[in-house]
Amino acid sequence: MREFFGFLFFLMLATCVAGCASKSEGKKGENKAEEAQLPVITENFERVVPPAMITEPQKRADYIVAHFWDKFNFSDTMYAHVPDITEQAFVEFIAMFPYTSSYDKISGGVKKLLVSAEVENVMYNYFCSLAERYLYNPNSPMRNDEYLMPFLEHIVESTKIADVKKIRPRHLLELARRNRIGSKAEDFVYTTASGKTGRLYDLSAKYLLLMFYNPDCVECQRTMEILKQSPAVVDAVSSGRLKLLAVYPDEDLDAWKNHQKDVPSSWINAYDKSQAIKSNEIYDLKAIPMLYLLDKDKKVILKDTSTGDIHEYLDRNR
């Protein structure tokens, strides 16, 4: 828990610095009359403190998630205009999710938040938009389909939301439910440079690392270099415990072919000739590169994960 609270302090500091910077830039040239028009919030967010009798870290996290918003005034819509308070609190709320004991605890905390927010449409829409920004946006370091799902489920099931406003959340929920951790990954056909085709499910190994990438993507190149130098990945590939399938899902084959030398010969470098992965949204490629770690039965172990998490898992499970 000490590491977590250290991270939380850093997160709070970073957000406050960003907020202060944006406010100072925005006030350049403004007169006092314009400043006076800004909404004024007299009360800061009051954070919940678990009872002293709860000492186990997971149970403390469960308590915080369940009671995080107990003292928040959802009727005051001015809070939707003060990110230094409300958005910061939301970030702290979702930052607790990895430390809870189960998905049900997360889902319960989200439901309690949104049921409370339904008192005002402005607040409900505000928190739902924050959820998409932090948990779905490709550029968010907190992106996580599993944590986004309870928000989407509440929106789709809500009787207070018009059906037309449920179209996008319903689609995002459908995508999030695909290739979930613990479920079997969707199968697809791939093609190699030689023209040979194969299927994901035909690959046999204890673990399969599936990477969707674009050869011209700087972040993809950086990710490849990290994987090439990861002792855990290199050892797993050389020993046969791991197969690495790198798939280019786009159309510019010339760009893909021009970067063949960048991919180690021990990896399977392929492309999606039929373009089914993207057109049928078999995998939600909202960000590139996208990494999945699968077991021998093609069940998802890690979804939309990082090179660090892959290295750690393989190192722990030799």
Side-chain angles (χ1 to χ4, degrees):
M1 284 298 282
R2 181 182 299 176
E3 293 178 358
F4 163 69
F5 285 113
F7 160 74
L8 198 56
F9 175 77
F10 171 79
L11 195 64
M12 292 168 63
L13 182 62
T15 305
C16 289
V17 169
C20 291
S22 62
K23 283 199 291 184
S24 63
E25 290 173 3
K27 288 184 178 180
K28 288 179 181 178
E30 291 182 357
N31 58 39
K32 292 182 179 180
E34 289 174 328
E35 291 180 5
Q37 293 174 9
L38 294 174
V40 177
I41 300 296
T42 56
E43 296 180 3
N44 286 323
F45 184 81
E46 189 173 350
R47 287 158 181 79
V48 66
V49 178
M53 66 188 71
I54 302 178
T55 58
E56 187 179 328
Q58 275 193 334
K59 289 184 178 180
R60 289 180 69 84
D62 289 345
Y63 183 93
I64 292 172
V65 169
H67 297 279
F68 195 89
W69 303 97
D70 284 1
K71 299 178 181 180
F72 185 76
N73 183 8
F74 289 93
S75 298
D76 189 347
T77 58
M78 285 297 188
Y79 277 112
H81 305 287
V82 189
D84 286 356
I85 296 176
T86 319
E87 187 170 341
Q88 174 61 45
F90 182 83
V91 170
E92 292 178 28
F93 175 61
I94 61 176
M96 291 298 304
F97 290 2
Y99 302 91
T100 58
S101 61
S102 69
Y103 176 83
D104 288 342
K105 297 296 183 181
I106 296 171
S107 183
V110 170
K111 182 177 180 180
K112 190 172 181 180
L113 161 63
L114 294 183
V115 167
S116 300
E118 281 183 326
V119 68
E120 287 286 349
N121 286 338
V122 170
M123 299 305 290
Y124 186 87
N125 293 334
Y126 177 70
F127 282 109
C128 290
S129 67
L130 286 179
E132 182 169 341
R133 184 192 309 171
Y134 281 95
L135 298 175
Y136 186 80
N137 189 299
N139 296 317
S140 171
M142 303 182 81
R143 186 179 73 237
N144 190 305
D145 282 353
E146 202 71 10
Y147 299 158
L148 177 66
M149 281 177 53
F151 290 93
L152 298 174
E153 288 168 349
H154 194 276
I155 296 170
V156 169
E157 294 168 5
S158 175
T159 58
K160 299 185 179 182
I161 305 297
D163 285 343
V164 68
K165 291 185 177 181
K166 294 182 180 181
I167 295 174
R168 176 174 168 78
R170 188 175 286 115
H171 180 62
L172 293 182
L173 181 58
E174 181 184 345
L175 294 178
R177 285 173 171 167
R178 291 180 186 172
N179 307 299
R180 287 183 71 184
I181 293 174
S183 68
K184 286 201 169 188
E186 297 283 343
D187 196 12
F188 60 87
V189 175
Y190 61 84
T191 305
T192 63
S194 66
K196 181 181 178 181
T197 61
R199 301 192 74 91
L200 177 74
Y201 272 58
D202 290 337
L203 296 173
S204 178
K206 184 176 181 180
Y207 300 112
L208 173 64
L209 177 53
L210 174 59
M211 178 176 70
F212 296 102
Y213 80 105
N214 186 314
D216 291 326
C217 157
V218 173
E219 185 61 25
C220 296
Q221 294 170 1
R222 189 184 75 85
T223 297
M224 279 192 177
E225 289 305 313
I226 293 173
L227 292 174
K228 288 181 200 177
Q229 297 173 30
S230 165
V233 172
V234 172
D235 177 70
V237 170
S238 61
S239 68
R241 289 187 300 118
L242 174 72
K243 285 190 177 177
L244 202 158
L245 174 61
V247 180
Y248 173 59
D250 293 313
E251 301 173 350
D252 188 355
L253 283 186
D254 288 336
W256 178 71
K257 290 176 180 177
N258 290 338
H259 288 269
Q260 293 291 303
K261 65 181 185 304
D262 297 336
V263 181
S265 59
S266 57
W267 300 7
I268 302 169
N269 189 24
Y271 69 97
D272 179 16
K273 186 176 182 179
S274 67
Q275 293 290 289
I277 293 172
K278 288 187 70 174
S279 59
N280 297 335
E281 295 183 304
I282 298 173
Y283 289 80
D284 182 15
L285 304 183
K286 53 181 168 287
I288 291 290
M290 180 76 71
L291 300 168
Y292 286 78
L293 184 64
L294 314 179
D295 70 9
K296 61 182 178 62
D297 298 316
K298 307 303 180 289
K299 285 185 179 179
V300 179
I301 300 172
L302 299 173
K303 176 183 180 179
D304 190 8
T305 189
S306 67
T307 53
D309 286 344
I310 290 167
H311 175 94
E312 183 181 346
Y313 186 90
L314 293 175
D315 194 45
R316 241 184 13 248
N317 297 273
R318 291 183 177 275

